[in-house]
């Protein structure tokens, strides 16, 4: 039996040498230690042997079992080490770079321009009180202008802000006059969704308060900002508008960059594209912010950042922006 066992060990060693994978080794292991193995056969025969035979063969078989286990173990370690050493760190890895969202790109761009013109960039809360979103902006509870800005009224009595104009009041309270701020941010409206309407979009608010500020200052700043964003000199048009927080109020339009003002589908044949609302800050709003309207005047404006991004990147469906479909968003990758 001893001779036979020696043979077993030899053939085990040969088979182990041939193994290249862990799975191969485990197969060999079960062949030599499993139920049908020669070793197991001897072990089950032990009980039929005489006491003398048991005394000799018992320890021999045990020792053999240990040796087989050890050989298998050693070969497993060898293979595992080889696998680790074979790791090729130069192999290409399949990963993708993320990219900035178009709204983030345009926000960064426009705030850089404002910063260069001496504006401080501020931000306010998206969950806002009725006071900051409406009342302090000269929109009392029963004001018809509230109808144009239906929003989400929260259980805690707050609202999701409908406009970044709430920052006007926060800024006056925080910094007083004179003042030059701009505030980009997310706003919400209770809208039916379509290609041009979203319940969540972005604006950027601006406000300048100082002595003897006039509409000319407003126009100059707007002309500079929009031209820089569009990377070309733009022509602006002032139209009378209505906002409760400004008096007088204006809508500012940009001559269509696609058709140069002659009319095309993008500008709906009008030659102009609506860009922003603006005006001279209403005395009531200055008072809400603790600024004396007898001493100071100012202008304010609100630009639709989402609209701007859509125009700049020629996105014709607003829902793409909040949709999270990377196939669209990746097109705006910048390095
Ligand atoms: N908050 C206005 C809106 O969402 C936009 C706006 C108009 C802001 C005139 C202003 C402004 O600061 O002066 O429609």
């Amino acid at each position: 039996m001893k001779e036979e066992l020696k043979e077993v060990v030899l053939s085990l060693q040969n088979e182990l040498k041939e193994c290249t994978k862990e799975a191969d080794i485990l197969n060999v292991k079960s062949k030599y230690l499993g139920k049908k193995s020669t070793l197991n056969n001897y072990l089950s025969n032990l009980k039929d042997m005489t006491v003398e035979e048991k005394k000799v063969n018992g320890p021999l078989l045990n020792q053999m079992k240990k040796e087989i286990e050890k050989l298998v173990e050693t070969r497993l370690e060898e293979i595992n080490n080889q696998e680790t050493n074979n790791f090729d760190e130069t192999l290409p890895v399949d990963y993708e770079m993320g990219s900035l969202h178009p709204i983030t790109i345009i926000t960064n761009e426009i705030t850089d321009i404002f910063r260069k013109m001496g504006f401080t960039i501020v931000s306010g809360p998206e969950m806002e009180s009725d006071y900051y979103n409406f009342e302090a902006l000269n929109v009392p509870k029963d004001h018809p202008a509230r109808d144009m800005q239906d929003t989400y009224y929260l259980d805690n009595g707050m609202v999701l802000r409908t406009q970044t104009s709430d920052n006007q009041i926060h800024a006056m309270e925080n910094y007083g006059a004179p003042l030059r701020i701009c505030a980009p941010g997310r706003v919400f409206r209770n809208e039916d969704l379509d290609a041009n309407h979203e319940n969540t979009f972005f604006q950027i608010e601006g406000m300048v308060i100082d002595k003897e500020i006039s509409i000319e200052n407003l126009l100059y700043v707007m002309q500079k900002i929009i031209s820089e964003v569009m990377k070309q000199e733009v022509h602006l048009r002032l139209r009378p508008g209505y906002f409760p927080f400004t008096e007088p109020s204006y809508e500012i339009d940009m001559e269509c960059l696609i058709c140069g003002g002659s009319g095309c589908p993008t500008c709906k044949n009008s030659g102009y594209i609506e860009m922003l609302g603006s005006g001279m800050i209403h005395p009531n709003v200055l008072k809400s912010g603790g600024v004396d309207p007898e001493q100071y005047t100012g202008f304010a404006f609100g630009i639709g950042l989402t609209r701007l991004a859509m125009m700049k990147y020629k996105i014709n469906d607003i829902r793409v922006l909040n949709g999270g479909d990377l196939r669209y968003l990746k097109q705006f990758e910048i390095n």
Side-chain angles (χ1 to χ4, degrees):
M1 182 168 79
K2 204 170 175 181
E3 283 310 305
E4 223 178 310
L5 286 174
K6 269 190 187 160
E7 286 291 311
V8 170
V9 171
L10 263 179
S11 79
L12 169 72
Q13 281 172 326
N14 284 335
E15 283 192 45
L16 282 177
K17 255 189 234 153
E18 299 295 311
C19 292
T20 52
K21 297 195 295 284
E22 185 172 338
D24 299 340
I25 299 177
L26 295 179
N27 280 339
V28 171
K29 181 181 177 186
S30 91
K31 178 172 167 192
Y32 284 86
L33 290 172
K35 270 199 185 131
K36 290 184 184 153
S37 61
T38 318
L39 181 76
N40 203 48
N41 206 16
Y42 281 128
L43 283 168
S44 7
N45 288 344
L46 259 185
K47 61 180 187 314
D48 302 324
M49 295 184 191
T50 62
V51 178
E52 292 307 308
E53 281 172 330
K54 276 185 194 162
K55 264 193 190 164
V56 182
N57 292 329
L60 183 70
L61 286 171
N62 256 337
Q63 190 201 334
M64 200 52 64
K65 190 174 173 201
K66 278 194 188 132
E67 191 168 337
I68 293 175
E69 282 170 347
K70 188 141 195 268
L71 285 168
V72 170
E73 197 72 13
T74 313
R75 184 68 186 137
L76 263 179
E77 273 172 27
E78 271 172 23
I79 288 269
N80 283 340
N81 284 343
Q82 253 174 33
E83 274 174 11
T84 325
N85 293 340
N86 283 344
F87 177 71
D88 182 354
E89 65 216 41
T90 63
L91 277 179
V93 182
D94 189 16
Y95 70 91
E96 284 186 55
M97 288 292 279
S99 63
L100 294 179
H101 191 280
I103 297 286
T104 309
I105 301 173
I106 200 109
T107 306
N108 290 345
E109 224 175 275
I110 201 165
T111 48
D112 275 354
I113 300 168
F114 274 114
R115 211 177 274 119
K116 275 188 223 145
M117 293 180 83
F119 283 74
T120 305
I121 320 298
V122 299
S123 68
E126 291 172 359
M127 183 177 73
E128 189 57 283
S129 68
D130 186 276
Y131 174 77
Y132 283 103
N133 194 77
F134 294 120
E135 270 189 59
L137 289 164
N138 207 27
V139 188
K141 288 245 163 8
D142 52 0
H143 198 290
R146 288 202 179 206
D147 285 352
M148 295 185 296
Q149 299 197 359
D150 189 19
T151 184
Y152 300 93
Y153 293 85
L154 307 178
D155 285 345
N156 62 3
M158 307 282 271
V159 302
L160 293 188
R161 70 172 175 199
T162 57
Q163 47 189 350
T164 44
S165 304
D166 59 334
N167 287 293
Q168 293 190 22
I169 310 298
H170 288 300
M172 285 188 280
E173 284 179 353
N174 291 339
Y175 309 114
L179 185 69
R180 211 183 299 183
I181 57 109
C182 85
R186 197 192 315 258
V187 298
F188 309 85
R189 302 234 179 129
N190 183 7
E191 295 272 8
D192 287 335
L193 307 195
D194 62 27
N196 290 310
H197 296 91
E198 249 290 6
N199 53 26
T200 307
F201 54 101
F202 289 80
Q203 293 184 335
I204 185 163
E205 191 80 11
M207 179 165 77
V208 172
I209 300 176
D210 212 325
K211 302 214 158 138
E212 292 167 18
I213 292 289
S214 75
I215 294 167
E216 285 198 22
N217 301 123
L218 166 67
L219 265 181
Y220 175 81
V221 171
M222 289 303 104
Q223 172 77 32
K224 279 271 163 233
I225 300 277
I226 309 286
S227 295
E228 284 238 16
V229 172
M230 294 300 163
K231 305 234 167 18
Q232 57 183 290
E233 200 62 21
V234 297
H235 302 286
L236 298 185
R237 176 176 81 173
L238 218 59
R239 265 188 302 125
Y242 173 73
F243 299 102
F245 26 87
T246 41
E247 181 58 38
S249 301
Y250 305 99
E251 307 270 1
I252 296 185
D253 305 332
M254 173 183 75
E255 196 176 77
C256 180
L257 297 177
I258 311 262
C259 62
S262 59
C264 69
T266 305
C267 60
K268 295 189 193 112
N269 279 322
S270 70
Y272 282 88
I273 293 177
E274 201 180 306
M275 293 297 289
L276 59 115
S278 65
M280 301 304 293
I281 304 170
H282 196 290
N284 286 352
V285 174
L286 291 171
K287 277 189 219 155
S288 302
V291 172
D292 181 0
E294 298 296 328
Q295 278 197 56
Y296 288 99
T297 50
F299 65 80
F301 54 90
I303 308 176
L305 263 188
T306 300
R307 168 95 66 82
L308 204 59
M310 287 173 73
M311 253 189 312
K312 192 163 177 190
Y313 300 115
K314 305 199 168 36
I315 301 168
N316 54 16
D317 191 328
I318 194 171
R319 291 165 291 194
V320 162
L321 292 167
N322 290 347
D325 187 335
L326 296 182
R327 287 171 304 178
Y328 280 107
L329 299 175
K330 270 170 54 177
Q331 298 173 52
F332 310 104
E333 226 161 290
I334 50 165
N335 301 311

